[in-house]
Amino acid sequence: MKFVDEARIHVKAGDGGNGCVSFRRERFIPRGGPDGGDGGKGGDVILQADVQLSTLLDLTYPKQFRAQKGTHGKGKNQTGRNGEDFVLRIPVGTLVRDDQTGEILQDLLFDGQRFIAAAGGRGGRGNAKFATPTLRAPRRAEKGEKGEERWLRLELKLLADVGLIGFPNVGKSTLLSKISSARPKIADYPFTTLVPNLGVVNRQEKRAFVVADIPGLIEGASKGAGLGLAFLRHVERTRLLIHLLDISEGPSRNPVKDFHALNQELKAYQPSLLEKIQIVALNKIDLPPVRSSALDLQEQFEKIGYPLYMISGKTGEGVKEMMDAVSRALESIWGQANG
Ligand SMILES: Nc1nc2c(ncn2[C@@H]2O[C@H](COP(=O)(O)OP(=O)(O)OP(=O)(O)O)[C@@H](O)[C@H]2O)c(=O)[nH]1
Ligand SMILES: [Mg+2]
């Protein structure tokens, strides 16, 4: 399940400031020496890896990033000011390529790692630097160097932060399509999803995260029933699971039993999967029979220590409340990881 987030950006470093041609002019000193200062260096465009970010979405617009120019040198040997660097934060794990050649320039692997994507131009030397014993009054100064510029291609292999688990047909793909821009196949039969789908959930003013919708699991999956557990490796690295339940098939479904049965399969695959936080939700609440059993079920789940969210992936009812809980849980997990 490789899901690659991509962005093309243009980076332009600051030009160096020009060196200055100037001569000292003081009263009673008729012919002062050269005092033209050097130009300042242009700022660099720097890419810096940041664990707080998880997607490249924010770089789709704007996509041009420039650093400041150095200012020109002045008389009285005044050196120009250096241009400020521009630091662009990108997610840890981003691969930086030259867009034209495809060449890998850098793989940003740890938090805080920096890469100079475009180096600022050097400042030009002022005429003071060109004075020699034989040439006392040089009229020459250099122009500042141009700052580098180029197009870069950023690639990020996404790892899911959240896994969406549940029996077949409970509405996992429908929910994924509601909360992200992913468009997985949705149909009224079990095992519609054959390989995991990933979607980026972009919440206003909150850190974005990635949700994986994995194929439906059934009892006996750990022994190979249904599609088996092969896809569970995709949720091994997630931080949190959304466990989706569905009773729309009728009284034959016992959600508490389903919940335990599925967790049993997770445990058989990898006991540590059960240590992940689970947000439990009853789906298809828009259907009247589901709605009428909702309160009763909520009580049953409370008894085993889980708040039961009531949602409809189809109409969107209750989805925001559940996703708020997901965001809160993720934020606390991230907070622990950083602190
Ligand atoms: N009424 C109602 N129907 C829903 C809701 N969510 C999903 N469905 C329907 O349930 C069926 C299964 O939905 P999917 O999203 O494909 O379910 P899934 O869990 O991804 O299924 P698999 O990939 O087969 O495991 C489809 O017919 C959906 O239209 C809901 O909130 N309300
Ligand atoms: Mg599906």
Side-chain angles (χ1 to χ4, degrees):
M1 176 180 61
K2 255 194 220 156
F3 183 84
V4 182
D5 206 9
E6 265 195 343
R8 272 181 86 237
I9 60 169
H10 184 257
V11 288
K12 164 88 175 82
D15 298 336
N18 296 335
C20 167
V21 176
S22 162
F23 295 94
R24 219 173 302 143
R25 282 179 211 290
E26 282 170 62
R27 277 209 281 182
F28 314 119
I29 306 179
R31 288 212 275 143
D35 70 352
D38 302 341
K41 177 188 166 294
D44 299 332
V45 177
I46 296 171
L47 304 183
Q48 180 171 324
D50 186 339
V51 280
Q52 296 289 334
L53 305 172
S54 28
T55 81
L56 296 172
L57 276 185
D58 300 339
L59 299 182
T60 2
Y61 189 84
K63 52 162 94 188
Q64 310 251 13
F65 302 94
R66 4 174 105 235
Q68 228 177 25
K69 290 178 179 171
T71 61
H72 302 316
K74 289 195 203 146
K76 299 186 182 160
N77 286 315
Q78 296 180 71
T79 304
R81 223 177 329 103
N82 291 341
E84 262 177 53
D85 293 339
F86 182 88
V87 179
L88 181 63
R89 290 171 194 279
I90 57 175
V92 170
T94 302
L95 193 68
V96 184
R97 291 179 188 274
D98 183 300
D99 188 51
Q100 251 168 10
T101 64
E103 181 199 351
I104 294 176
L105 303 174
Q106 186 81 14
D107 200 357
L108 289 161
L109 291 174
F110 55 88
D111 189 35
Q113 190 180 351
R114 288 181 151 212
F115 169 64
I116 297 181
R122 269 191 311 142
R125 286 177 295 175
N127 71 335
K129 292 277 161 67
F130 292 97
T132 62
T134 49
L135 181 68
R136 299 246 177 110
R139 309 208 131 265
R140 185 154 89 88
E142 284 171 339
K143 280 208 151 34
E145 255 177 19
K146 290 276 174 219
E148 284 179 347
E149 62 181 304
R150 55 181 162 181
W151 279 94
L152 299 175
R153 189 155 76 239
L154 308 181
E155 293 173 2
L156 177 66
K157 287 191 187 77
L158 292 186
L159 291 173
D161 303 295
V162 175
L164 207 49
I165 58 169
F167 278 76
N169 231 18
V170 299
K172 300 178 296 299
S173 303
T174 306
L175 179 62
L176 183 71
S177 70
K178 192 78 188 175
I179 60 180
S180 75
S181 55
R183 290 292 165 259
K185 184 170 172 199
I186 292 166
D188 189 15
Y189 56 83
F191 303 116
T192 309
T193 302
L194 297 174
V195 292
N197 299 299
L198 281 180
V200 176
V201 178
N202 202 12
R203 308 204 82 211
Q204 284 171 351
E205 297 176 22
K206 297 237 173 74
R207 176 171 159 185
F209 54 86
V210 179
V211 177
D213 157 30
I214 66 160
L217 299 167
I218 58 174
E219 241 173 298
S222 54
K223 298 185 184 67
L227 292 175
L229 294 180
F231 297 110
L232 273 186
R233 72 192 151 85
H234 296 295
V235 300
E236 270 178 81
R237 294 183 64 173
T238 61
R239 311 295 192 122
L240 180 154
L241 301 173
I242 298 177
H243 192 147
L244 218 51
L245 299 163
D246 174 14
I247 53 164
S248 64
E249 274 175 35
S252 64
R253 291 240 84 118
N254 175 335
V256 178
K257 231 179 109 223
D258 281 355
F259 178 72
H260 288 307
L262 202 120
N263 282 339
Q264 210 44 49
E265 299 300 331
L266 295 186
K267 189 176 167 193
Y269 175 78
Q270 167 79 265
S272 66
L273 281 182
L274 283 189
E275 288 160 22
K276 293 186 195 295
I277 297 175
Q278 288 197 14
I279 303 268
V280 188
L282 179 67
N283 193 25
K284 311 193 185 178
I285 189 79
D286 56 294
L287 300 173
V290 177
R291 196 186 292 278
S292 61
S293 356
L295 283 178
D296 179 39
L297 287 175
Q298 214 159 23
E299 268 176 30
Q300 293 184 37
F301 273 88
E302 227 153 74
K303 280 191 193 133
I304 58 171
Y306 290 92
L308 183 66
Y309 290 87
M310 316 284 195
I311 66 163
S312 167
K314 202 171 215 165
T315 66
E317 183 180 345
V319 170
K320 183 182 175 298
E321 288 75 6
M322 180 188 72
M323 293 309 286
D324 284 345
V326 169
S327 285
R328 275 196 304 274
L330 280 177
E331 264 155 32
S332 95
I333 293 166
W334 286 327
Q336 282 162 21
N338 296 339

